[in-house]
Amino acid sequence: MIPTRRTLLAALAAVGTLASLTACGGGSDSSSNSSSGAPKGTYTFWDPYPQFDASSPWGKLITACGTKAGVKVKRTAYDTSDLGNKALLAAQQGNAPDVMLVDNPVVSTMVEAGILNKTSDLGLDTKAIQKNIIGAGTLDGSAYGVPIGANTLALYYNKKVLSAAGVDPASVKDWASLTAALKKVKAAGKKGITFSAINTEEGSFQFLPWFWGAGGDLTKLNSADGEAALSLWKGWVDDGYAPKDVLQNTQTTSWQEFATGDYAFSENGTWQLGNAEKAGFGYGVINIPARNGGSAPVPTGGEFVTVPVQKDTARYDVTKKIVTCLTSSSNLLPTDMTLTYVAPTAEVQAQQVKQNPKLKPWVDAVASARGRTSGGLGTKYPTISQPMWTAVQAALSGSKSPKAALDTAQASAQKN
């Protein structure tokens, strides 16, 4: 079914917020903006990777998959924040691309707008994909794309700082042991932990492991579990274990603090592995602990290969070949190693860890990860996330208690 103009306009309003939900975004548009009027033997492909040009391994893979399918692929690379809006507008005009790679939280908005095909209708095989990874692009039991990989959050640690403070990273198993470690680090004259609590989606993204790790439910922001998570962060700031500038920190500036070598821990993502290697000090990675032990659920970032609805349904046979090529095990391995993503299948994850053992804790973290729009939240997620990050700001700044801040957040979320 081709989506109506009213449906698309409603979706455009939602995708403006959802477009910022990526864990780490791309750059600016580097290609032409038109996907209309393509010759019959040309298939259009949009992605959020303008940092990779046609000569890059990613660019060459797309060309090769087109050649294998017997067609030419015309690729357009957009900034992540632009891709969703342009896709919805193109669908309204009847010239959506044949294949589109989109940030996973945007999938639900596009599904509600009626512009994506189910993978099952196209005959795409997703049985080998880890259920929690494909869950970020699944609505009402149906998947609407194939994930190329996932990124997520964990705790980087500075080996020298922890050693000097007498802290064994293996002893950090829950919130109490982590807080005890931060106390020792501060007593040794170093700094504790950096993270991002900024009033954007990045702040929610970083708060979610603690919220979920306490047993929190996004439909009940002001539960005792949610209050416990926010009180943990507030306690760290009040006690000087975390800097007050977490209120302004993005994930990038938080990492820059950790890279000074003065901090014991940094909550950050898979995408910082390359920077960690260049930091100039020994580091390790552990999973974010849940309140009472074990690994906390962490949010998944990453993109899905999707197939927009086309008036000419005969094009789907070739489109399926292109998608299958892009997401085959042999191609996922180099793609995910280039992006520092965790592959969506156990087979390729094992190959990744064999190539780079430092990816092992990230594979473990992704195993317990959740999609932010999963569990039926879909496009409701932004109406919950914004009040949540506002509550974090209010509590850490001291303008409200954690309970009062979350009461306000829950009331706001229920209005939407």
Side-chain angles (χ1 to χ4, degrees), residues 275-365:
N275 289 328
E277 293 292 330
K278 301 172 186 175
F281 54 80
Y283 76 94
V285 179
I286 59 173
N287 290 348
I288 295 173
R291 174 168 51 174
N292 297 318
S295 297
V298 284
T300 52
E303 290 80 35
F304 275 62
V305 184
T306 64
V307 178
V309 172
Q310 302 291 336
K311 291 179 180 178
D312 181 4
T313 58
R315 298 180 69 84
Y316 293 148
D317 286 342
V318 171
T319 299
K320 177 185 173 182
K321 293 177 182 178
I322 295 171
V323 174
T324 300
C325 175
L326 288 170
T327 57
S328 67
S329 294
S330 60
N331 287 329
L332 281 175
L333 179 62
T335 295
D336 288 328
M337 294 302 281
T338 297
L339 296 171
T340 324
Y341 279 12
V342 173
T345 66
E347 176 192 355
V348 181
Q349 288 173 4
Q351 294 175 48
Q352 287 185 284
V353 172
K354 187 175 181 180
Q355 280 194 21
N356 182 2
K358 290 183 178 180
L359 284 170
K360 179 63 168 63
W362 294 104
V363 170
D364 293 341

Side-chain angles (χ1 to χ4, degrees), residues 51 66 70 80 83 93 95 100 105 108 164 180 182 220 319 386 390 394 409:
Q51 67 269 38
T80 301
L83 184 61
Q93 296 161 0
N95 59 1
M100 187 164 56
S108 60
L182 296 176
K220 301 174 184 176
T319 299
Q386 185 166 352
T390 302

Side-chain angles (χ1 to χ4, degrees), residues 384-406:
I384 296 169
S385 178
Q386 185 166 352
M388 181 167 64
W389 82 55
T390 302
V392 171
Q393 287 266 310
L396 299 193
S397 67
S399 65
K400 290 184 178 179
S401 69
K403 183 179 187 309
L406 289 170

Side-chain angles (χ1 to χ4, degrees), residues 227-294:
E227 184 183 348
L230 190 47
S231 295
L232 177 73
W233 268 20
K234 178 170 173 53
W236 287 349
V237 172
D238 290 350
D239 292 338
Y241 301 155
K244 294 186 183 300
D245 64 12
V246 295
L247 286 163
Q248 293 82 42
N249 266 348
T250 64
Q251 293 178 114
T252 298
T253 57
S254 173
W255 178 262
Q256 290 167 350
E257 287 182 331
F258 180 67
T260 63
D262 292 330
Y263 282 84
F265 296 96
S266 170
E267 180 185 353
N268 228 296
T270 327
W271 57 91
Q272 298 290 9
L273 266 179
N275 289 328
E277 293 292 330
K278 301 172 186 175
F281 54 80
Y283 76 94
V285 179
I286 59 173
N287 290 348
I288 295 173
R291 174 168 51 174
N292 297 318

Side-chain angles (χ1 to χ4, degrees), residues 104 107-109 111-112 118 134-144 373 376-379:
N104 70 60
V107 173
S108 60
T109 297
V111 171
E112 290 197 3
K118 295 179 181 179
I134 200 167
T138 300
L139 279 84
D140 298 326
S142 296
Y144 285 84
T373 59
L377 286 181
T379 54

Side-chain angles (χ1 to χ4, degrees), residues 14-22 80-82 84-85 103 106:
V15 83
T17 303
L18 282 164
S20 68
L21 303 192
T22 187
T80 301
S81 61
D82 292 335
N85 282 330
D103 192 26
V106 181

